[in-house]
Amino acid sequence: MRTISLAVTAVASALLLTACGGSGSSSSSDGKNGSACSFDGVAVQVGPASTAPSAGDTGEVPVSLTNQSKPCTLDGFAGATLEGGGTKVALSTQKGAKAQKLKLAKGDAASFTVTYVRGKAGDKLSLAATKLVITLPGSSDSASYKWSYGPVQGKGSASDSEASVSAFTQAGD
């Protein structure tokens, strides 16, 4: 009898979580601010970039999000990982950057910037990045974008890159 009751409870819990989460995304809601923004509700544009022209130069890649759905919230920093040649490097947040909680109504936009130092092609300290993977705060889903801005310099190794993520800023009014 106890086994049946536990099974029924587990199934009911799974159904409740499925009903709350939408299309498989993991998001939270506080009732008045909307749920965490997720990729199934926003349009993303990576670039155009201010590309670092040669090794040692700094470049910036803006990432813009426009809410296409119900109100949602960005509360924290975007997660960003650069990948290339079997190596994955999680980017740190910019020194001194402070995250702010942004509420995005349908049509509102926000952006953040990936700042990087271009590495020397073929150098053991450079990551030959080919992909940028982004996660949004409060959501477990991710999206991948082509990285075409050259190798990224490492601090002491290719897995410790000189690249960082800024805080979100709201676009428009």
Side-chain angles (χ1 to χ4, degrees), residues 55-144:
D57 291 336
T58 300
E60 294 184 334
V61 181
V63 179
S64 302
L65 306 152
T66 303
N67 186 11
Q68 303 290 311
S69 189
K70 63 184 178 190
C72 66
T73 303
L74 295 168
D75 190 7
F77 289 91
T81 302
L82 287 172
E83 298 181 7
T87 301
K88 296 180 180 183
V89 178
L91 305 187
S92 61
T93 56
Q94 286 181 349
K95 289 182 183 175
K98 298 202 184 308
Q100 57 181 327
K101 188 175 190 175
L102 298 178
K103 300 173 194 173
L104 301 181
K106 185 174 182 176
D108 285 351
S111 64
F112 68 93
T113 302
V114 174
T115 302
Y116 71 101
V117 175
R118 186 170 183 144
K120 185 176 179 183
D123 188 85
K124 67 179 181 177
L125 293 181
S126 295
L127 173 65
T130 57
K131 186 182 346 179
L132 172 65
V133 180
I134 300 169
T135 56
L136 299 177
S139 178
S140 63
D141 58 344
S142 64
S144 299

Side-chain angles (χ1 to χ4, degrees), residues 3-17:
T3 304
I4 293 172
S5 135
L6 287 174
V8 169
T9 302
V11 169
S13 296
L15 289 173
L16 281 172
L17 288 173

